[in-house]
Amino acid sequence: ADTGLEVMAGQYVVALFREGDHVYALDGICPHAGGPLAQGTVAAGIVTCPWHGWQFEIASGQHCLTKTLKHKSFPTEIRNNEIWVGIDNQ
């Protein structure tokens, strides 16, 4: 199974996930108990936290069971083979 990549972007721990030609960025700390989302498994656009199994859509941060819970996501852009994560005004 695929996993993400954990990086620092400004003051944030960010989990990066690639799906096709797009890279998505979520807050890398699971809101449930602080698990490392980048180490979770990714399948069909869903990341599953390795600690307790919470699941989020990588494109939006939407929690898969609780529609009122949306995890912080960040815009991304690929420039000159580098991934830029937009953290301004977050």
Side-chain angles (χ1 to χ4, degrees):
D2 290 331
T3 59
L5 175 67
E6 185 174 282
V7 298
M8 290 300 297
Q11 64 189 20
Y12 293 96
V13 175
V14 175
L16 297 176
F17 303 99
R18 180 182 294 274
E19 184 173 62
D21 290 336
H22 196 83
V23 175
Y24 297 101
L26 295 179
D27 183 327
I29 307 299
C30 182
H32 172 236
L37 276 186
Q39 294 177 23
T41 56
V42 179
I46 304 293
V47 61
T48 301
C49 182
W51 284 9
H52 301 106
W54 278 37
Q55 294 183 310
F56 300 91
E57 296 175 2
I58 61 172
S60 67
Q62 179 63 57
H63 186 270
C64 291
L65 296 177
T66 306
K67 294 304 176 192
T68 57
L69 178 59
K70 191 168 181 182
H71 197 46
K72 183 186 292 288
S73 62
F74 304 96
T76 61
E77 182 181 341
I78 298 175
R79 297 185 207 156
N80 300 321
N81 292 322
E82 293 180 336
I83 300 167
W84 289 71
V85 178
I87 57 169
D88 294 338
N89 302 319
Q90 295 288 328

